[in-house]
Each structure stands twice: as structure tokens, then as C-alpha cells.
Amino acid sequence: MNNYETVFIATPVLSEGQMKEAVQKYQKYLKDNNAEIIHEENWGIRKLAYPIQKKSTGFYYLIEFKAEGQLISKLEIEFKRDERLLRFLTVKLDKHAVTYNEKKRRLAKEAKEQKTEEK
């Protein structure tokens, strides 16, 4: 099993509920295909670098997961069929990227714990 990271941008006209529904669809798809979701991040609505389909903003969402290689092409077909998505990108993580992501999450967790201790 390889480590992958996928980021997709959903159209900004979606409501919060519709965005959650889209995310749950891909979480379920990954789990149904024996992928192990390691980490998820909702980056929220952000400005796009350039307009896509006359939209200047979009909902960004990141999912880091472990899966077999043949799942990626099937996942990307699902992304292409979904009209709610403007763009997507899936990359295979090497051992250095995996280590970096683990370190980043650990530091974020420690910073969060330190903030709660200060209060």
C-alpha cells in the first residue's frame, strides 16, 4: 500500500451541508475500496489563483490516505464525474513527505495543547 494525498476544490455555490455531503461521498468511496484514511483537513473557502468556470473562490479539502495504486485511477474518474468539483490533484507521497506530514501534525497538536494549557 502506498501513501497518497488528494486535494479537491469544490464550487463555492455549495451550501455547508452540500460540501459535507461531497466530502463524505469520497470518504466512503475510499473506505469501501480498502483505503485507510490517515488525515483530513478542511481548508475552507479560498481565493483561486485564476478563475475556473467563472468562479474566483472554492472550497478546498485535503485527504491523506493509504491505498493500492489501482484505486487512484478509479478515484479520479469519480472526481471527473462530479459536477461539484472544479479541480483535484492526487499525489503519491514518498517517505520524506510522509515524515514531514507526521511532524507537521505533531507540532500542530502540541501547539494546540499548549494554547489550552495557557487558558
Side-chain angles (χ1 to χ4, degrees), residues 4-98:
Y4 295 95
E5 189 173 75
T6 189
V7 176
F8 56 86
I9 307 171
T11 182
V13 298
L14 298 177
S15 69
E16 193 69 32
Q18 290 170 321
M19 181 58 188
K20 286 180 182 177
E21 180 186 311
V23 168
Q24 288 171 348
K25 173 185 174 183
Y26 296 111
Q27 290 170 334
K28 182 179 182 329
Y29 185 82
L30 289 170
K31 289 175 185 171
D32 289 348
N33 287 284
N34 301 321
E36 175 191 345
I37 296 177
I38 298 170
H39 181 70
E40 299 176 63
E41 279 184 50
N42 182 357
W43 292 350
I45 196 160
R46 292 185 172 201
K47 187 168 174 26
L48 301 174
Y50 54 89
I52 302 172
Q53 298 174 5
K54 298 183 181 177
K55 311 267 189 312
S56 60
T57 59
F59 286 106
Y60 283 67
Y61 201 86
L62 171 128
I63 302 175
E64 186 179 338
F65 60 96
K66 284 185 180 181
E68 296 296 330
Q70 61 267 23
L71 174 63
I72 303 308
S73 60
K74 295 176 188 172
L75 176 65
E76 290 189 347
I77 288 171
E78 290 295 317
F79 284 152
K80 288 175 186 175
R81 289 180 178 160
D82 195 339
E83 293 178 0
R84 298 175 290 194
L85 301 186
L86 299 174
R87 290 284 190 275
F88 62 88
L89 177 66
T90 303
V91 292
K92 181 179 176 184
L93 301 175
D94 63 5
K95 65 182 180 181
H96 304 293
V98 171

